[in-house]
Amino acid sequence: MLTFLHFLFMAGSLLVVTAMPEPFSPDGWEPPLEPPQILPYSPMDSNMTEPPAGAMEAYCQMLLQSPVPVPLDQIPWFCLCTHCKGTKGPKGDRGDRGLPGSPGSPGRRGMTGFRGPPGFVGRPGVKGQKGDEGEKGNRGLQGLVGPKGDRGFKGDKGERGLEGRSGDRGPKGDDGVCPDACESSQGPPGTPGLPGPAGPRGLPGTQGLSGPKGLKGDMGDIGQPGAPGSEGVKGEPGPQGECNCTDGVDGSPGQRGDKGDKGDQGQTGPTGQSGVQGDKGDVGPMGMMGPPGPCMPSIQSAFAAGLTSSYPPPNTPVVFSHLFYNIQGSYDPSTGLYTAPINGTYVFSYHLTVHERVLKVGLFHNYVPVVKTTDPKVLGTTSHSVILHLARGDRVWIQVKDSITNGMYAGSEASSTFSGHLLHPDTCDMASLRAPINPLIQDLNGYSWGNLSFQAP
């Protein structure tokens, strides 16, 4: 109990010192008008072990609410500490940062959060080296046949296909046998033959009849006035009239006299306005026939073909088996040879894709190399074009040097093509096209690489 009272006394003293607005002055003290009532017990009686419940609060309330103010020095300290509140001082400066505490134990793993938004697309990385070619896998099992689909809609009518090559002439049929009656009977009509080549230009025909009369032509410009006519003969004088000497009334007007002599020609007047357009005139006679024109367009030859098998073999023409254009049939897609149908000037070109190997390629004319191209790139393209004069039956083809430098490639995303066409023939004689073409004479060295006929300095 004494310990509790001692602690209460110290706390009350501290609060009284901090809560009093000004110190107590004994000069201004006056005795109370009415002394406070004496409680029937002493709050600080040492003989009391514990005051009654609420007695101390009632005593302090009586002192503080007395009609006559009680001096502060006569009020017990425990009554003042229950009534006053200390004033709040200014906020102090921020203290120094304390030492970091020891790390705590790791907490439990939290729940997985929601998926965040996708990040920005990064810059493309450097292209890596090409990996090794993998081994071909085993053929898988054949899948089950799917159910039959519904009948599709009827498609649009396709375009007319290219005209096919004419077939070879069939063998001659057996001789006919005369029947017993020896009466000829008309057989079924044969299939129409192929149209022959265009014949030479015919002689000019006879002059045709004159055509119907055409419309009247436009009215021409007004011509200049003609020359004046010759002077006429002077007429005889008329009879003399009667004369009365008296000045009478004016008589009636006399008859008009004869026309006098023609005067001199006056100056030419200004040109008048054009008249109304007249009818179209008649057609004039036919003129003379002009000189013969250039060659007929029936002499034509052109082709374009694509490669279907990469890395072609050497010592043989490269076969471009996929045809883009070959209506005249001068290019053979099974051998890779182009045969000139007529003497003339031709243009040839090739555009090739190079892949994984070096490419050495040349264009050959009758076993003689004309141009050669070397491309050392692992992936690239090469091309060339040349103009040649060929005779009828000459052959032209493409050829690679060897199996190490045959990097000619063709795939789904790359193409290699060979093309050519007749620029103009040497003559317009169509009869020369009907003669058979001589076969190509095999060279002693075969399809060798050979050397160019000219060497760069």
Side-chain angles (χ1 to χ4, degrees), residues 24-119:
F24 174 73
S25 176
D27 298 336
W29 178 83
E30 295 180 358
L33 299 178
E34 295 182 1
Q37 298 180 1
I38 304 299
L39 296 177
Y41 61 91
S42 175
M44 301 299 298
D45 190 356
S46 59
N47 296 328
M48 293 183 63
T49 58
E50 184 176 358
M56 298 181 66
E57 288 79 358
Y59 177 72
C60 291
Q61 187 176 3
M62 180 190 67
L63 293 178
L64 296 175
Q65 296 180 357
S66 174
V68 179
V70 180
L72 296 177
D73 58 344
Q74 297 182 9
I75 299 176
W77 56 270
F78 54 83
C79 292
L80 296 175
C81 68
T82 58
H83 178 69
C84 301
K85 292 183 180 180
T87 58
K88 185 176 182 180
K91 185 177 181 179
D93 298 335
R94 183 182 181 87
D96 297 336
R97 184 181 182 89
L99 298 175
S102 57
S105 58
R108 293 184 301 173
R109 180 180 178 86
M111 298 178 64
T112 304
F114 297 102
R115 182 183 180 90

Side-chain angles (χ1 to χ4, degrees), residues 300-305 317-318 320 325-326 328-342 344-348 363-366 388 390-398 418-423 437 440:
Q300 297 177 355
S301 178
F303 79 98
V318 177
F320 294 83
Y325 182 88
N326 192 30
Q328 291 79 21
S330 301
Y331 175 76
D332 189 352
S334 61
T335 61
L337 299 177
Y338 173 79
T339 304
I342 194 172
T345 304
Y346 294 79
V347 179
F348 296 95
L363 186 140
F364 287 74
H365 170 214
N366 291 347
L388 298 176
L390 303 181
R392 175 177 167 82
D394 285 357
R395 269 74 170 183
V396 177
W397 66 86
I398 300 293
F418 175 39
S419 59
H421 66 275
L422 171 64
L423 190 61
I437 298 178
L440 180 64

